[in-house]
């Protein structure tokens, strides 16, 4: 159990590194939705969807490959050096080519050329810190990882508040002042990207140490092996990103032009209320991924993997029901403009989809530790195909509800496929009855609270308390062993 105590401790710190920055970022949701019109927020959401897609291509699976070869290598310095050189060269090539071809990229992506230049430099800066952050995780330095991540978003948040709130007031009260020269009308989206750019530049400066102290030696044979391992991860990453963000792009293109940006804005704002599940799943994945690799050669690792998944489902079920029960409270806190509330019906669907994705990441241990990463690519591609087909067919008829259902269908299918293939190639003794029990009860209670009782807290809160009582009754002994055992 001490092993699990260490895992949960690291997950808690990675959770801090993930949750606090995202929560700081989450504060921008009411800030942006108060200042930006739904159409402007929709345009911003589409641009960040393209960000996510390009981020995957710039990483091209090297982060996961770094973990795989760093943990199993006798010469870790060579793995670090080769990885850094690979990312550095590919990123510089991207930056130069993107700047040269920016007009064509702008036409293809429908991104304003002025915004595109910011995007290119932000993507470049973010790509250069991929391996330094992976090195921190591989060397179990979660506190430094957390500090840098939190500082990044604190700078971003602070600059957003300054540019969008204080600067206009300063310029209006003192038109001849020094700061008034920084202010431009109708420049809000550019200000958001400038804040992001400065935060990313600061992060790179803080992470330069690994570049400066590394003796650069490029091992072509090692790089070929890493690339062979990484390419299926890239395919899976692209497919996953399609599942995650491509719906915004399709909504913008398939809905009538006069409502498209506004619909995307409402959908994206309410989608962010699922962030609590995303934060939990991401923190858990960051803590557990190095654990999967470092313990793959221990005695009976499958038993540990099964227990980890059980705990994930228990905690995830609580978060699912908790967010659904208090959805109306959360919308008042974080999406204050009532124009965005039209899309609230997507919230339970997206939270459940994020839960399925988190379970999928836990189940995916089998193809990562057995070097069958191509299966991750196949599964993610199937999910992406489902996402694209459902969106293309049903968006013209059902709008953003089609996108929400497509996300749930894709992640549910990916979860089941990973479970089925895992039983064939790397059997893990999951407690299937317990997992199914928690999933079904939390889903049924969520449906009752949100759709049947219409988000009435007098019905929802008792359902949540009842569920927590079940968890306490069934899991109290196991959790006490993990957290109280010396």
């Amino acid at each position: 159990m001490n092993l699990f105590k260490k895992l949960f401790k690291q997950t808690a710190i990675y959770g801090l590194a993930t949750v606090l920055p995202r929560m700081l970022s989450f504060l921008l949701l009411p800030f942006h939705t108060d200042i930006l019109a739904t159409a402007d927020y929709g345009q911003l959401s589409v641009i960040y969807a393209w960000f996510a897609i390009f981020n995957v291509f710039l990483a091209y699976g090297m982060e996961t490959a770094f973990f795989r070869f760093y943990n199993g290598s006798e010469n870790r310095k060579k793995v670090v050096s080769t990885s850094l050189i690979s990312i550095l060269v590919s990123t510089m090539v991207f930056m130069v080519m993107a700047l040269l071809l920016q007009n064509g990229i702008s036409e293809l992506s429908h991104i304003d050329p002025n915004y595109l230049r910011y995007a290119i430099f932000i993507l470049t800066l973010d790509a250069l810190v991929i391996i330094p952050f992976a090195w921190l995780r591989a060397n179990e330095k979660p506190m430094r990882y957390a500090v840098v991540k939190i500082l990044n978003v604190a700078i971003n948040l602070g600059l957003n508040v300054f540019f969008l709130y204080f600067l206009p007031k300063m310029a209006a009260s003192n038109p001849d002042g020094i700061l008034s020269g920084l202010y431009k009308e109708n420049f809000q989206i550019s200000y958001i990207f400038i804040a992001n750019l400065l935060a990313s530049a600061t992060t790179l400066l803080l992470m330069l140490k690994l570049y400066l102290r590394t003796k650069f030696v490029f091992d072509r044979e090692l790089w070929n092996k890493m690339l062979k391992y990484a390419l299926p991860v890239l395919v899976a990453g692209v497919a996953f990103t399609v599942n995650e963000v491509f719906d915004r792009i399709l909504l913008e293109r398939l809905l009538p032009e006069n409502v498209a940006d506004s619909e995307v804005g409402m959908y994206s704002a309410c989608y962010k209320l699922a962030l609590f599940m995303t934060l939990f799943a991401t923190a858990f994945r960051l803590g557990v991924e190095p654990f999967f690799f470092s313990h793959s050669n221990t005695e009976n690792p499958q038993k540990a993997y099964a227990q980890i998944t059980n705990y994930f489902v228990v905690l995830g079920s609580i978060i699912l029901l908790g967010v659904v029960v208090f959805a109306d409270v959360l919308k008042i806190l974080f999406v204050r403009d009532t124009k965005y509330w039209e899309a609230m019906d997507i919230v339970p669907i997206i939270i459940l989809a994020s839960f399925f994705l988190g379970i999928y990441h836990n189940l995916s241990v089998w193809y990562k530790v057995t070097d069958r990463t191509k299966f991750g690519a196949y599964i993610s591609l199937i999910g992406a195909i489902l996402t694209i087909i459902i969106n293309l067919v049903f968006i013209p008829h059902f709008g953003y509800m089609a996108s929400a259902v497509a996300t749930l269908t894709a992640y549910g299918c990916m979860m089941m496929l990973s479970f089925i293939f895992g039983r064939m190639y790397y059997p893990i003794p999951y407690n299937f009855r317990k997992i199914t029990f928690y999933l079904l009860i939390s889903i049924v209670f969520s449906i009752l609270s949100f759709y049947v009782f219409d988000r009435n807290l007098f019905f929802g809160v008792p359902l949540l308390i009842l569920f927590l009582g079940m968890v306490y009754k069934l899991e109290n002994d196991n959790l006490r062993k993990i957290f109280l055992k010396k």
Side-chain angles (χ1 to χ4, degrees), residues 63 129 148 179 188 195 200 217 219 246 297 373 394:
E63 181 184 28
V129 296
V148 177
L179 291 177
Q188 290 92 337
S200 295
V217 177
D219 188 324
F246 205 63
N297 294 321
T373 51
F394 294 106

Side-chain angles (χ1 to χ4, degrees), residues 146-221:
V147 168
V148 177
K149 285 284 187 180
I150 292 168
L151 185 60
N152 172 282
V153 184
I155 293 171
N156 199 347
L157 175 65
L159 290 173
N160 266 272
V161 173
F162 171 73
F163 285 133
L164 299 179
Y165 183 77
F166 288 110
L167 186 60
K169 290 181 178 294
M170 291 176 179
S173 62
N174 186 10
D176 297 323
I178 297 174
L179 291 177
S180 64
L182 295 175
Y183 178 69
K184 294 182 181 181
E185 290 187 9
N186 301 317
F187 205 65
Q188 290 92 337
I189 294 179
S190 291
Y191 282 137
I192 292 169
F193 288 130
I194 291 170
N196 194 335
L197 179 65
L198 293 173
S200 295
T202 304
T203 300
L204 178 59
L205 288 174
L206 293 173
M207 301 297 286
L208 271 179
K209 185 177 179 180
L210 187 64
Y211 282 98
L212 297 176
R213 74 180 188 185
T214 298
K215 184 179 179 180
F216 287 102
V217 177
F218 186 74
D219 188 324
R220 179 176 289 275
E221 183 180 353

Side-chain angles (χ1 to χ4, degrees), residues 100-111:
L100 291 174
L101 301 173
Q102 58 184 298
N103 290 332
I105 297 173
S106 177
E107 290 181 13
L108 178 66
S109 62
H110 294 185
I111 298 176

Side-chain angles (χ1 to χ4, degrees), residues 261-315:
D261 284 339
S262 182
E263 294 278 301
V264 174
M266 291 186 289
Y267 175 74
S268 299
C270 291
Y271 194 109
K272 282 198 172 183
L273 293 181
L275 185 67
F276 297 97
M277 181 65 76
T278 305
L279 292 175
F280 165 65
T282 303
F284 204 92
R285 180 178 61 83
L286 289 172
V288 84
E289 195 171 56
F291 175 90
F292 284 159
F293 287 117
S294 60
H295 291 83
S296 60
N297 294 321
T298 59
E299 184 178 352
N300 195 16
Q302 292 92 334
K303 182 179 179 182
Y305 299 155
Q307 288 177 285
I308 289 168
T309 302
N310 289 342
Y311 295 131
F312 178 86
V313 172
V314 171
L315 297 173

